[in-house]
Every structure is written in C-alpha cells, then in structure tokens.
C-alpha cells in the first residue's frame, strides 16, 4: 500500500506537469453569451469567490448594476437592485464559468472575451478585454457614463477587430509572449508594457489585412499603443487555461485558483475540486496615483488577476520587474528575496519562464498548501488599488491570508486520512 505522503508527492508532480505542458493559445474574441458555458442574458459574473449581493463591496455592486443597465435589462441602478433582490439575476464568480475578470470582474452577456485554448489538454478559458485605465472619479454618474461608453466600444469596435486579426495569424501562442515579456522587465501582472508591445507587434500586420475601416483600424492601434496593461487580459486567460488543467487530481495539494472580491480572498485546491476556502481580503500596500487619494478611499484587495500568481508569475517572479518596487518603497534585493521566498512554497519551476537578473533563474510554480502552512509564508500578490467608488487609483502588493490555506489543509486531511484513503 502506498502511503499518503508518497501519493501526495506523485499527485503534485502530476499537477506540476499539467501546468508545465500546457500550451495556451489565443484563438478568438467573442461575446460572453456565445462562449461561456451556462451563460445567460440575465447572468452577471464577478471576481473572487462567491458572495451575496448584500455583502459585495461598493465597486462590485455598482459594476453589477451598470452591467444590467448596459444589457438593457433595466433603466437605472434602483431598478437593477430591485431585479437582483427579486432573484431575477444570476450572480456568480467568473471562475465558475471558466473565466477570469480583472478588478471587480464584472462580466455580462455582451462582454467581449479573450478566448484561449490549451492545445495540450483541450480546455478553454476566457477573460474580458482590458477596459483601459480609469481613475477613481468623485462624480459617480460621470464615471459610469464613461465606463458604459468604453464597454460599447470594446464590444462593437475592438473585439471584432482583434478577433479577425487573431484568426488571420492562426492563433497567438501566449507562453512565448510571457517568456519574452519577463526578459523585457515585466512580471506580467502589475507591469505588462513588454507583453502588450509584443502583442501589438504580432497583430498589427494582420489588423491591416483584415480591418477595412480606416477609422476603426486607427482607434484599435491607438488603443493597443497606449494600453500598457492590455496583455494582462490575454495572460490571465492563458493562466486560467493552464491552472484548470491541474484541477481535480486526487491527493494533490496544489492551488489551482486564487481570487478576491474586495471582501474575501478565496482559493481552490486540485485534490479538493471546486470547493472554495476563504479568508479576509487584505489591504494593499502601495502607491496612489494622486495625492487626492488615501487609505480611506479604497477597498481591500480585489480581482481575479491573482490567477497570475496561481500560475507562478506576478509576485512569484518579482525580481523580473524591479521597477515595481517603487510602489512599495522597496529595493531590488527585496524583489529577489520575495522570489526566493515563493520558491519555498511551490512544487517546482517553469523552465520557459526565466528571470534574467537572477542569473536566468526559473519561475517558481504550483503553490502547495502544505508548504504555506508549514512555513507560514503566503503568496505575495502584485495588484492594483481600487477606489471604493470605482476605478483604479494605485498599485502595490499584498499577501494572501493564511486562513484559507489552513482551512484547505484541514479539509484535505479530513478527506484523505479516512480509512482506505492512504
């Protein structure tokens, strides 16, 4: 009989191999209603683990209401709230629909989704297009008008333009883009300048071939030229397609999901399937983009973008992007120390992802809940700072709460230490 530690070790190596062998390719951009399994016209998805409408933070509540207005289901936020309370709206995490969403993560039927196929395992994952930088606005109505205007443009202009270009090139492999971006000073979560420029370079000729309207072409290229964070939406879908391939492996203690909703931080574990384990979302330590904002203006950590750290990028490869240390008054030596610290809680490394200024050290991937609990080291998350009225007003770092890993380990022990399990 094989003992439990040996079974866990073997299962974790299988999860690691699934992540290493994944080949995520960007193949399309389509509306959520057309591609997300189970999506409906009255479904609105959000970032993070499940949360009741009454318990949502301000930006998520506002985002859900605005999505219902955008979809033409209601005329104003009051009617949207009434519709939700009447049980006429399905609210669910993006992760439960094979998707991920940055910040509030609001995804509705018309949302244009980056479609990524994992060619190695055949599974798909999706991420909403990057909506563009939007500072926190004191005028809530003005902010929402601008947000809906941008959604419309993404839906009707940029989405179809990118879809045609991606198909023209036969799909865009994402792994090589991430690998090159790391060499260009990105860590592919908070800093994405290199990755975004690589995507523009890869698609611009195809855009000229497939887009016949010159104004649409001009607007799309202009957007990709200034939207430094655009590649994150592609990388997030690729990371989701990769980590999903490591799900549901019996006896594995590898984390397959990390996500936050501004209230809770949630994780899933391979050997525990779709069960969520949560702890409190943490405060983000960072830099505000304006002196007009302070700690009283923000919500705790929010968004599905922690899929990057789940994948082993972002905070795990902090040293690849030393420029980000300015957000936390840090140093390059601190960045190196954080990357090495992440190596203490992971199963292995990704050979394709290397950090040049650490003698081309490989990225630590596949976080193990046992190692997190044993060492007391929790994953570091590179993240943006959200204004409680909506918008991104800063950037920095935070840590996952220890509580969700401890609860997951207790649940793992209860499931696998039963008679006959070892």
């Amino acid at each position: 009989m094989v003992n439990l530690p040996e079974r866990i070790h073997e299962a974790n190596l299988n999860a690691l191999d699934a992540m290493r062998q994944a080949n995520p390719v960007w193949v399309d951009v389509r509306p959520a209603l057309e591609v997300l399994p189970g999506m409906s016209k009255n479904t609105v998805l959000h970032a993070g683990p499940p949360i009741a409408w009454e318990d949502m933070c301000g930006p998520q509540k506002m985002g859900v209401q605005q999505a219902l207005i955008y979809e033409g289901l209601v005329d104003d936020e009051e009617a949207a709230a009434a519709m939700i309370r009447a049980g006429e709206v399905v609210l669910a995490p993006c992760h439960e629909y094979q998707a991920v969403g940055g910040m509030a993560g609001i995804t509705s039927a018309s949302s244009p989704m980056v479609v990524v196929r994992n060619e190695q395992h055949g599974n798909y994952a999706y991420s909403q297009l990057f909506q563009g930088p939007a500072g926190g606005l004191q005028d809530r109505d003005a902010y929402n008008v601008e947000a809906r205007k941008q959604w419309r443009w993404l839906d009707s202009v940029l989405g179809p333009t990118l879809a045609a270009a991606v198909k023209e090139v036969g799909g865009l492999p994402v792994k090589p883009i991430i690998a090159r971006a790391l060499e260009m000073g990105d860590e592919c979560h908070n800093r994405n300048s290199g990755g975004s420029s690589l995507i523009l370079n890869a698609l611009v000729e195809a855009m000229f071939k497939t887009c016949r309207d010159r104004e649409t072409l001009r607007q799309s290229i202009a957007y990709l030229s200034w939207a430094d964070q655009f590649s994150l939406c592609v990388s997030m879908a690729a990371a989701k397609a990769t980590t999903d391939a490591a799900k549901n492996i019996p006896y594995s203690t590898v984390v397959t999901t990390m996500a936050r909703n501004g209230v809770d931080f949630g994780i899933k574990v391979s050997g525990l399937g779709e069960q969520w384990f949560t702890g409190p979302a943490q405060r983000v330590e960072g830099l505000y983009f304006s002196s007009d904002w302070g700690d009283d203006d923000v919500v705790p950590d929010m968004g599905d973008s922690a899929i990057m750290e789940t994948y082993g990028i972002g905070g795990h490869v902090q040293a690849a992007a030393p420029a980000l240390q300015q957000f936390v008054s840090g140093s390059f030596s601190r960045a190196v120390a954080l990357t090495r610290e992440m190596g203490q809680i992971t199963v292995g490394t990704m050979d394709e992802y290397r950090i040049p200024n650490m003698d081309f050290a490989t990225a630590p991937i596949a976080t193990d809940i046992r190692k997190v609990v044993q060492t007391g080291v929790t994953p570091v998350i590179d993240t943006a700072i959200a204004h409680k009225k909506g918008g991104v007003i800063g950037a920095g770092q935070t840590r996952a709460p220890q509580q969700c890993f401890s609860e997951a380990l207790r649940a793992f022990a209860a499931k696998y230490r039963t008679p006959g399990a070892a």
Side-chain angles (χ1 to χ4, degrees):
M1 180 179 294
V2 179
N3 63 30
L4 183 59
E6 289 177 350
R7 285 195 173 187
I8 293 173
H9 177 70
E10 181 180 355
N12 285 349
L13 290 181
N14 289 338
L16 177 65
D17 285 344
M19 293 173 68
R20 283 174 168 170
Q21 294 169 12
N23 179 23
V25 177
W26 179 15
V27 296
D28 205 351
V29 177
R30 301 270 296 283
L33 187 61
E34 296 181 9
V35 292
L36 299 190
M39 191 68 179
S40 67
K41 188 70 175 179
N42 66 327
T43 296
V44 180
L45 307 182
H46 61 78
I51 187 169
W53 161 255
E54 294 79 8
D55 298 327
M56 283 184 173
C57 67
Q60 274 201 341
K61 273 191 171 182
M62 182 176 71
V64 172
Q65 291 169 311
Q66 289 299 311
L68 294 174
I69 294 171
Y70 179 78
E71 295 295 341
L73 299 176
V74 294
D75 293 327
D76 54 41
E77 288 191 355
E78 183 177 346
M83 185 179 181
I84 294 165
R85 294 191 182 101
E88 298 171 358
V89 179
V90 177
L91 297 178
C94 294
H95 271 287
E96 296 184 357
Y97 285 70
Q98 296 177 214
V100 280
M103 297 309 290
I106 304 304
T107 302
S108 57
S110 301
S111 298
M113 309 297 289
V114 169
V115 180
V116 168
R117 175 180 166 85
N118 181 349
E119 299 291 349
Q120 177 66 27
H121 300 94
N123 63 297
Y124 286 83
Y126 312 88
S127 177
Q128 66 203 151
L129 286 181
F130 175 62
Q131 296 174 5
L137 300 178
Q138 300 305 312
D139 187 334
R140 176 188 174 104
D141 291 338
Y143 176 85
N144 287 328
V145 167
E146 287 302 309
R148 292 199 301 270
K149 180 179 178 181
Q150 180 71 350
W151 291 354
R152 182 73 62 192
W153 183 82
L154 293 172
D155 179 15
S156 61
V157 177
L158 185 65
T161 302
L162 290 177
V166 168
K167 292 174 185 177
E168 174 68 19
V169 299
L172 194 62
V174 184
K175 226 172 182 178
I177 291 174
I178 292 176
R180 288 188 62 191
L182 291 173
E183 296 174 353
M184 297 168 69
D186 288 359
E187 42 66 86
C188 302
H189 188 165
N190 262 7
R191 192 179 192 280
N192 295 281
S193 302
S196 296
S197 65
L198 290 170
I199 287 176
L200 176 58
N201 290 343
L203 294 182
V204 67
E205 183 177 356
M207 291 170 70
F208 270 94
K209 287 182 179 180
T210 58
C211 185
R212 298 184 179 182
D213 183 87
R214 295 298 94 177
E215 179 59 19
T216 293
L217 179 63
R218 185 198 66 77
Q219 290 181 17
S220 298
I221 291 177
Y223 167 90
L224 293 176
S225 297
W226 60 253
D228 281 355
Q229 295 288 0
F230 175 78
S231 65
L232 178 58
C233 66
V234 179
S235 298
M236 284 173 60
K240 172 68 173 168
T242 298
T243 57
D244 273 2
K247 292 170 64 172
N248 300 312
I249 298 175
Y251 293 94
S252 175
T253 54
V254 166
V255 175
T256 55
T257 300
M258 292 195 292
R260 318 85 91 206
N261 57 31
V263 177
D264 300 314
F265 188 112
I267 69 170
K268 294 183 181 182
V269 179
S270 179
L272 296 173
E274 297 302 320
Q275 185 175 357
W276 286 96
F277 301 92
T278 62
Q282 303 295 292
R283 180 180 179 276
V284 180
E285 301 290 340
L287 181 69
Y288 299 114
F289 297 151
S290 169
S291 58
D292 293 336
W293 297 310
D295 294 349
D296 292 339
D297 297 312
V298 304
V299 296
D301 192 24
M302 181 169 63
D304 287 335
S305 58
I307 194 67
M308 300 311 297
E309 282 78 12
T310 314
Y311 187 27
I313 309 297
H316 278 53
V317 292
Q318 188 72 200
L324 291 180
Q325 290 299 307
Q326 65 181 310
F327 292 128
V328 291
S329 301
S331 63
F332 177 64
S333 60
R334 177 183 181 275
V336 171
L338 285 174
T339 296
R340 289 176 174 160
E341 193 175 42
M342 296 302 96
Q344 298 176 28
I345 59 173
T346 47
V347 177
T349 62
M350 181 79 79
D351 288 344
E352 292 95 330
Y353 297 161
R354 294 181 176 270
I355 306 171
N357 47 20
M358 283 185 67
D359 293 329
F360 295 92
T362 49
I365 68 168
T367 299
D368 184 342
I369 59 171
R370 297 175 306 160
K371 293 183 178 182
V372 171
V373 174
Q374 290 166 0
T375 63
V377 173
T378 56
V380 61
I381 311 293
D382 290 343
T383 188
I385 301 174
H387 195 287
K388 61 186 178 183
K389 294 183 180 179
V392 176
I393 61 171
Q397 294 175 347
T398 189
R399 292 269 188 170
Q402 179 74 239
Q403 178 181 332
C404 48
F405 297 91
S406 299
E407 289 184 359
L409 188 58
R410 284 193 288 269
F412 186 92
K415 178 175 182 177
Y416 290 104
R417 287 187 182 276
T418 56

